Amino acid sequence: MPTPPPLTSLRRALPTIIQGGMGVAVSSWRLASAVARRGQLGVVSGTALDLVLARRLEDGDLDGSARRAMAAFPVPAIVERVLKRHLRPGGRAAGVAYTPVPRLSLRPGRAVQELTVLASFVEVWLAKEGHDGPVGINCLEKVQMAMPAAVYGAMLAGVDAVLVGAGIPRHLPHLLDELAANRPTQLPVDVAGDPGGDHVVAIDPPDLLGPDLPALDRPFFLAIVSSEVLAAYLTRDPAIRPDGFVIEGPRAGGHNAPPRGRPVRDERGQPVFGARDQADVDKVAAVGLPFWLAGSLGTPEAVREALAAGATGVQVGTAFALSSDSGLTDELRERLLALLRTGDLEVLTDGDASPTGFPFKVAQLAGTLSDHAVRSARPRLCDLGYLRSPYLKGDGKVGFRCPAEPVAMYVKKGGAEEDTEGRACLCNALSADVGLGQTRPDGREEEALVTLGADLDGAGRLAELYPDGWSADQVLDWLLEPAL
C-alpha cells in the first residue's frame, strides 16, 4: 500500500478552505497566491497552461512575471527555446493573431512537452513565490493527454496538492509516485471505439530535462467526485486510492456529473438533478479519508455545517472567481457584479454547451456564448483542441474529434450529428474570459463564456458588504472568522 504524503506536504494542517480550480486561468497564480498566503489551499487551474504562457509572452509579459519564474526553471535551454518562439517585446500589435500552439496528441513532440512542463512550472512557482502557504493545481481527467507534463511541471515547482475531476482519476496515484522519482511513466488514455485498447501518453523526465534529477516531493492527491459510491470505489484498492476527496454537488460551477437515472430536462432545458445526485456525507465520512464539500457552500454558515458534518472543510469557487484577484477580465467582472447587485445575475445548467457532454454551469451575460444566437453565429471551428476526444478510425489508427467543430467534419469522423447540437467552443471562450482570446483574420474577437456556481447567495452577501468589489482576502475573512 502506498504511503500517503505527510500533512507537512501542505506546509501546515489541512486547510478549511480550498479555493476552487477554475479554468482557463480564472484561478490564476495571483488568486492562488492570495489564498495560500492565508494558510488555505490556493489552487491554479492546470487547463491549457501551455496556451496561457505562450499568449502572455506574446502580449509582452509586460510586468516580467513569467520571465521571473522562468529564470528559476532548472533547464535554461528550454526557457530559451520558448522565449525565442513566443516572446514579443512590447506585446502584439493591434489586430495581430496569437501564434498557434501545437495541439495535444498521444505522442506529443519534445517542443509540446517542454512548453507544457515550463508553463505549469511558471504558474505554480509564481503562486508559491514569497510565502510558505499550500498551493495546488487542478486538472481535468477529460484532458488526459496534457496531464503527465502539466503535473510534472507543477511538481518541479513544488506543488503541494494535485486535484483532478471531470472523470474517474484512478491512475493519478501511480502517476504521482512515478513522477516524484523522475521515472519514465505513462498515463492510460480513453479512446472511443477501443475501450480495451492499450493507449497511453508517456513522459520521460530524464530524457526531457537531462539526467541526475533530484527526487521531488510527492504532492497530496485529491480526487474530485460527486458520490459516496465513487469515493468508496477509489478507496478499495491501494493502487488507486487518493489522499482525500472533494465531494462536488450538482450546483457547483464548471462541469457537473450528469444526473443519475433517466435524463430529464426542465422547461428551460436544464438537466434535472434529484436526491440521488446528492452525496451521502455520512457514508463519505465512513471512508476514513479527509474530504471537503463543494457546490453552494460559499457562506460562513455552510462552512460551519460542513465541519459539523465531519468534513475537513469546503471548496469555494464563485466568490473567488468574482474577486479582484481572479483572472477574469475587469470588464467581465464588472458586468457580472453589476447584475449581481441588482439581483439580475442568473446561472443556468447548460446540458449542451460543453464538448465533453457533461452539464456545464453558464452565467447568463449578453454578448457572450450564453446567448444561443451568439453561439449559433460563431463560425464552428476547433483550433485549440483541449477537449478533443481520441477515437479509433477504420484503419486502426487514432484520430481526434470535437462536437464543437464543423458538423460535417465531426460526422465524417464517425461522430453523431445530434452530439453537435448546442455545443460551444469552450477552449476559445474560456481563453477570452481572461483576456487571452484569439483575434481572427477578419478582426473578430472570440466571445467569452463565463461559468459560476448556481447558488449566488454568498456572492450576493459579499456584494452588500463590499459594494465596490472584494478581494480574496476579504472572502476568507468572511468565510473563516465565524468557523474558527
Side-chain angles (χ1 to χ4, degrees):
M1 172 178 174
T3 302
L7 298 189
T8 50
S9 68
L10 291 179
R11 305 290 193 262
R12 58 189 70 209
L14 292 174
T16 301
I17 304 295
I18 296 176
Q19 162 253 310
M22 300 167 285
V24 170
V26 172
S27 291
S28 66
W29 66 263
R30 288 183 175 86
L31 175 58
S33 175
V35 174
R37 287 173 186 273
R38 296 285 301 274
Q40 305 305 314
L41 182 56
V43 178
V44 299
S45 169
T47 303
L49 281 176
D50 55 339
L51 181 84
V52 169
L53 176 61
R55 292 188 173 182
R56 286 176 178 165
L57 291 173
E58 293 192 32
D59 284 335
D61 185 31
L62 299 182
D63 65 358
S65 296
R67 283 169 291 170
R68 186 171 71 252
M70 292 166 83
F73 191 72
V75 185
I78 291 177
V79 173
E80 292 171 9
R81 286 192 285 272
V82 171
L83 287 174
K84 182 178 180 181
R85 177 171 175 80
H86 293 288
L87 181 63
R88 296 184 184 180
R92 294 177 303 143
V96 174
Y98 287 113
T99 302
V101 297
R103 291 197 278 185
L104 301 176
S105 70
L106 291 177
R107 295 177 177 80
R110 176 176 290 272
V112 175
Q113 289 199 324
E114 286 183 349
L115 178 60
T116 303
V117 168
L118 178 59
S120 189
F121 174 91
V122 165
E123 197 76 1
V124 172
W125 190 93
L126 288 170
K128 293 181 67 67
E129 183 184 22
H131 63 88
D132 64 353
V135 170
I137 186 169
N138 179 282
C139 298
L140 297 178
E141 174 71 12
K142 283 288 185 180
V143 191
Q144 294 170 319
M145 291 178 288
M147 199 175 301
V151 169
Y152 186 63
M155 291 173 65
L156 287 171
V159 76
D160 299 285
V162 173
L163 302 87
V164 179
I168 304 175
R170 56 186 175 273
H171 302 295
L172 263 294
H174 176 73
L175 178 71
L176 296 178
D177 291 340
E178 296 301 292
L179 292 179
N182 294 297
R183 287 191 288 262
T185 189
Q186 300 173 334
L187 181 73
V189 174
D190 300 323
V191 174
D194 192 18
D198 186 21
H199 303 285
V200 299
V201 60
I203 186 170
D204 186 336
D207 179 67
L208 193 65
L209 299 183
D212 303 320
L213 295 170
L216 302 174
D217 289 336
R218 196 271 204 185
F220 207 74
F221 171 53
L222 292 174
I224 303 174
V225 300
S226 62
S227 73
E228 72 280 359
V229 175
L230 186 49
Y233 162 73
L234 289 173
T235 56
R236 288 192 186 116
D237 183 348
I240 64 174
R241 181 179 295 136
D243 303 306
F245 295 99
V246 174
I247 308 297
E248 197 170 76
R251 293 177 66 77
H255 288 98
N256 307 126
R260 299 190 201 180
R262 184 174 62 86
V264 177
R265 296 201 180 193
D266 66 16
E267 67 280 358
R268 303 190 68 178
Q270 300 184 99
V272 175
F273 294 91
R276 295 175 61 194
D277 302 303
Q278 299 290 340
D280 186 321
V281 176
D282 290 338
K283 290 182 178 179
V284 173
V287 167
L289 294 178
F291 68 96
W292 289 257
L293 300 179
S296 299
L297 294 165
T299 67
E301 297 82 6
V303 176
R304 289 198 299 268
E305 290 169 7
L307 295 174
T312 307
V314 302
Q315 177 177 281
V316 176
T318 298
F320 288 116
L322 294 173
S323 77
S324 57
D325 295 292
S326 87
L328 283 177
T329 65
D330 291 341
E331 186 263 342
L332 281 174
R333 183 186 299 106
E334 287 307 314
R335 290 180 61 197
L336 291 164
L337 289 175
L339 291 171
L340 181 68
R341 294 184 193 105
T342 61
D344 295 316
L345 182 57
E346 186 177 32
V347 178
L348 299 180
T349 304
D350 193 321
D352 302 318
S354 176
T356 65
F358 284 5
F360 190 71
K361 290 289 188 299
V362 176
Q364 303 302 294
L365 197 60
T368 71
L369 296 185
S370 65
D371 183 333
H372 283 259
V374 175
R375 192 182 303 181
S376 298
R378 178 190 179 272
R380 294 181 69 103
L381 76 157
C382 176
D383 60 343
L384 298 182
Y386 293 97
L387 295 178
R388 293 191 308 166
S389 297
Y391 73 99
L392 193 67
K393 300 194 295 185
D395 59 4
K397 297 180 180 179
V398 175
F400 299 90
R401 64 192 181 203
C402 176
E405 68 187 352
V407 175
M409 184 181 298
Y410 184 73
V411 172
K412 184 178 180 180
K413 295 175 181 178
E417 183 171 351
E418 56 266 27
D419 291 342
T420 68
E421 295 176 5
R423 295 295 191 247
C425 180
L426 291 192
C427 300
N428 276 293
L430 297 182
S431 301
D433 288 353
V434 294
L436 297 175
Q438 183 63 288
T439 301
R440 298 301 175 187
D442 60 1
R444 182 181 61 84
E445 302 283 343
E446 285 286 354
E447 296 91 352
L449 182 72
V450 180
T451 181
L452 297 172
D455 188 345
L456 298 173
D457 176 51
R461 290 165 61 186
L462 281 166
E464 293 176 0
L465 288 170
Y466 305 106
D468 297 324
W470 59 84
S471 67
D473 258 333
Q474 289 167 323
V475 175
L476 291 171
D477 287 340
W478 186 61
L479 291 176
L480 285 173
E481 185 175 359
L484 300 181

